């Protein structure tokens, strides 16, 4: 897998791009990562057993609250743009709340310019050129707004401390609690309380990734009421207990790791 960093003007909105080409079949367990993605499949799309379906050739992946496997038949060539939790809606003119717990075809949201971009990507034989086309398209659609800034500021606080109350997050965003909840759900794709649980899970994963196996300390450090609460949440989002996951694969937090 190759990682590409976005150009400077896109860095507040796009976390990174990754490219994978593989002729080997594989199956990978994935978790809620807290970030929506645009996925372009140059060859065979991935199969998701939990949804009993394949991704579309051009897929938009929304916020999810469940673990899933992704499987390749050995004919994989994909380019993925990973966005910050609250920014993809600015580019596609569709609120992320519309594809909560879904992976939808990008062709189905009725954005003709986005469809043309996808067609150009599939006609492009070089992945770096394809990413350049994506970057040109995204850069032309940057429209900063006060609400994006407000939700972004509250998200930064939430990621630092996932147990921060919705009331405090609303205050950070300079919004009323009800208005904040509505805007957060619209921009991020799930409500702030649920997203806080995803962030807390990912933060725990990061501690495990860095070598911690003191689950009582992980629970305390991430605001869980006790170790049992941590294990229950962890099982919901990963399908396993922390100990089982560690035996199954190396823990890795997508949300709290910046790949290079």
């Amino acid at each position: 897998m190759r990682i590409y960093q976005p150009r400077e003007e896109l860095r507040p909105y796009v976390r990174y791009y990754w490219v994978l080409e593989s002729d080997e079949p594989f199956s990978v367990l994935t978790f809620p990562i807290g970030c929506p993605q645009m996925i372009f499949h140059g060859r065979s799309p991935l199969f998701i057993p939990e949804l009993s379906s394949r991704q579309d050739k051009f897929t938009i992946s929304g916020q999810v609250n469940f673990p899933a496997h992704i499987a390749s038949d050995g004919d994989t060539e994909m380019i993925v743009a990973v966005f910050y939790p609250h920014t993809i809606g600015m580019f596609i003119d569709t609120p992320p709340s519309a594809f909560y717990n879904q992976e939808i075809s990008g062709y189905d949201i009725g954005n003709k310019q986005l469809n043309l971009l996808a067609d150009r990507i599939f006609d492009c034989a070089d992945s770096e050129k394809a990413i350049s086309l994506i970057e040109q398209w995204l850069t032309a659609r940057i429209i900063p707004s006060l609400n994006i800034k407000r939700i972004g500021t509250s998200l930064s606080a939430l990621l630092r401390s996932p147990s921060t109350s919705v009331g405090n997050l609303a205050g950070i965003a300079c919004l009323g609690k009800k208005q904040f909840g509505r805007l957060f759900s619209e921009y991020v794709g799930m409500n702030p309380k649920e997203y806080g649980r995803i962030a807390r899970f990912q933060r725990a994963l990061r501690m495990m990734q860095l070598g911690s196996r003191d689950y009582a300390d992980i629970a305390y450090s991430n605001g869980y009421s006790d170790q049992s609460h941590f294990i229950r949440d962890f099982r919901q989002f990963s399908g396993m207990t922390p100990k089982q996951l560690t035996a199954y694969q190396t823990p890795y937090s997508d949300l709290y790791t910046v790949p290079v």
Side-chain angles (χ1 to χ4, degrees):
M1 185 170 71
R2 303 191 303 277
I3 303 294
Y4 296 87
Q5 299 301 323
R7 62 174 63 171
E8 185 173 356
E9 56 265 48
L10 284 170
R11 288 175 191 168
Y13 312 106
V14 179
R15 290 188 64 202
Y16 57 90
Y17 311 93
W18 57 270
V19 175
L20 177 64
E21 298 174 6
S22 176
D23 296 322
E24 297 294 328
F26 63 80
S27 177
V28 177
L29 176 63
T30 65
F31 315 122
I33 69 170
C35 294
Q37 303 170 83
M38 281 187 190
I39 305 169
F40 303 88
H41 288 288
R43 293 188 284 180
S44 179
L46 301 178
F47 181 71
I48 304 171
E50 287 80 1
L51 300 178
S52 299
S53 65
R54 285 191 178 274
Q55 293 179 333
D56 190 73
K57 188 175 183 180
F58 171 33
T59 290
I60 297 177
S61 180
Q63 300 284 2
V64 300
N65 62 8
F66 59 88
H69 292 79
I70 54 173
S72 165
D73 58 12
D75 185 32
T76 304
E77 181 183 296
M78 55 194 297
I79 299 172
V80 181
V82 182
F83 293 82
Y84 283 98
H86 62 302
T87 58
I88 193 172
M90 177 176 68
F91 300 103
I92 63 176
D93 300 325
T94 299
S97 54
F99 41 91
Y100 170 65
N101 270 349
Q102 297 183 66
E103 295 202 328
I104 65 171
S105 170
Y107 290 114
D108 287 346
I109 64 175
N111 188 317
K112 293 181 179 179
Q113 296 302 315
L114 186 58
N115 294 349
L116 289 173
L117 170 66
D119 292 341
R120 293 182 69 193
I121 297 301
F122 298 132
D123 287 338
C124 188
D126 179 81
S127 59
E128 292 190 7
K129 175 61 176 175
I131 289 174
S132 178
L133 291 173
I134 295 171
E135 295 232 287
Q136 292 173 28
W137 191 90
L138 293 174
T139 300
R141 285 156 181 79
I142 294 175
I143 308 175
S145 72
L146 180 57
N147 283 335
I148 286 177
K149 183 177 181 180
R150 283 171 165 168
I151 299 302
T153 301
S154 68
L155 271 166
S156 295
L158 183 60
L159 292 174
R160 287 193 299 272
S161 179
S163 57
T164 303
S165 71
V166 176
N168 285 342
L169 293 172
I172 291 168
C174 300
L175 294 167
K177 186 175 178 180
K178 183 177 291 187
Q179 185 184 18
F180 171 75
R182 178 181 61 79
L183 286 174
F184 190 100
S185 296
E186 178 182 340
Y187 280 80
V188 176
M190 59 172 51
N191 68 59
K193 186 175 181 179
E194 184 175 26
Y195 191 85
R197 293 181 65 213
I198 300 296
R200 186 162 54 183
F201 162 72
Q202 283 282 336
R203 202 166 182 265
L205 267 181
R206 177 63 175 169
M207 291 182 69
M208 293 168 63
Q209 177 184 338
L210 294 175
S212 176
R213 297 295 181 267
D214 185 338
Y215 300 129
D217 179 60
I218 292 173
Y220 174 78
S221 298
N222 292 289
Y224 292 98
S225 57
D226 54 34
Q227 187 172 336
S228 295
H229 179 202
F230 162 55
I231 292 173
R232 283 197 307 273
D233 257 30
F234 197 94
R235 189 194 295 271
Q236 176 181 340
F237 293 131
S238 72
M240 301 181 183
T241 66
K243 187 174 181 180
Q244 288 170 336
L245 178 67
T246 301
Y248 180 75
Q249 66 185 41
T250 302
Y252 180 85
S253 169
D254 290 278
L255 186 59
Y256 286 91
T257 303
V258 179
V260 294

